[in-house]
Amino acid sequence: MKELEDLAGANGIAIVEGNLPGKERGRWYAEPRIIVLQAGMPLDYTRTTLGHELGHATHNHDMSTPDARIHYFQERQADEYAARLLISEESYRKAERMHGAHFAGIAHELKVTVELIHVWRDLWHRKDKKWHDNNCLRRSKRSNSRKKNAARTQSDTS
């Protein structure tokens, strides 16, 4: 928690606890740069929520937008920021070795919510797919180049 509080402080963001309406766990106020966290949350919810709200702050989100598409995009962007901030590939792999595919166990080990584990895994799969697609494309281009060279060599010898 200390590292998140330090990050907020370094960016001029105050963190306070309070009673938020409904099931809301946190809220970012751009002016006066305050994050309000629901009082009394367990550590995993507090860390995840603080990381999420720091995502809103980092991306300068305007939380008053009435546009549902923009709101969804901002929420997703804040979730992805929190996932990158709170979960490293190394720490995930270590937790996964300990707990297998049991997401609740992995989340407990990393002190984040299960929802954030799913966000991190989605990011990781997109990154892995991009790497895979790029490497397959390179292999395909090399293969096509070899075929063309072989065809040229064949026609040159004929």
Side-chain angles (χ1 to χ4, degrees):
M1 252 328 263
K2 175 99 171 80
E3 71 278 1
L4 296 175
E5 292 166 347
D6 290 346
L7 178 61
N11 287 285
I13 300 168
I15 304 167
V16 298
E17 285 192 350
N19 291 315
L20 295 169
K23 294 182 178 182
E24 200 171 345
R25 295 187 288 202
R27 188 180 287 180
W28 158 243
Y29 293 97
E31 287 301 323
R33 298 190 63 76
I34 292 177
I35 292 173
V36 179
L37 299 174
Q38 180 64 42
M41 289 190 296
L43 180 61
D44 56 344
Y45 280 89
T46 301
R47 282 175 38 84
T48 299
T49 303
L50 182 52
H52 175 92
E53 298 305 329
L54 285 168
H56 284 309
T58 299
H59 292 292
N60 297 312
H61 289 162
D62 175 7
M63 303 313 295
S64 64
T65 181
D67 187 323
R69 291 171 301 172
I70 292 172
H71 180 75
Y72 174 81
F73 173 78
Q74 289 178 343
E75 292 302 318
R76 183 66 188 183
Q77 196 174 36
D79 283 342
E80 290 177 355
Y81 179 89
R84 288 184 185 104
L85 180 65
L86 298 172
I87 305 170
S88 70
E89 189 170 341
E90 181 182 332
S91 66
Y92 184 88
R93 287 186 190 280
K94 182 179 175 187
E96 189 177 47
R97 279 192 299 273
M98 294 170 66
H99 300 281
H102 188 255
F103 298 143
I106 294 169
H108 179 75
E109 188 70 30
L110 298 175
K111 297 176 182 65
V112 297
T113 62
V114 172
E115 294 85 4
L116 200 66
I117 294 297
H118 291 296
V119 171
W120 187 88
R121 286 176 54 84
D122 183 51
L123 284 169
W124 190 84
H125 285 294
R126 280 191 281 158
K127 180 181 101 174
D128 189 50
K129 182 182 181 325
K130 188 175 182 180
W131 179 89
H132 180 266
D133 289 350
N134 287 339
N135 283 297
C136 287
L137 182 61
R138 283 190 206 115
R139 267 188 253 125
S140 176
K141 285 180 180 178
R142 281 195 302 259
S143 177
N144 287 341
S145 179
R146 284 189 201 118
K147 287 177 186 174
K148 285 179 186 176
N149 287 339
R152 275 193 218 120
T153 304
Q154 185 77 20
S155 67
D156 289 345
T157 58
S158 307

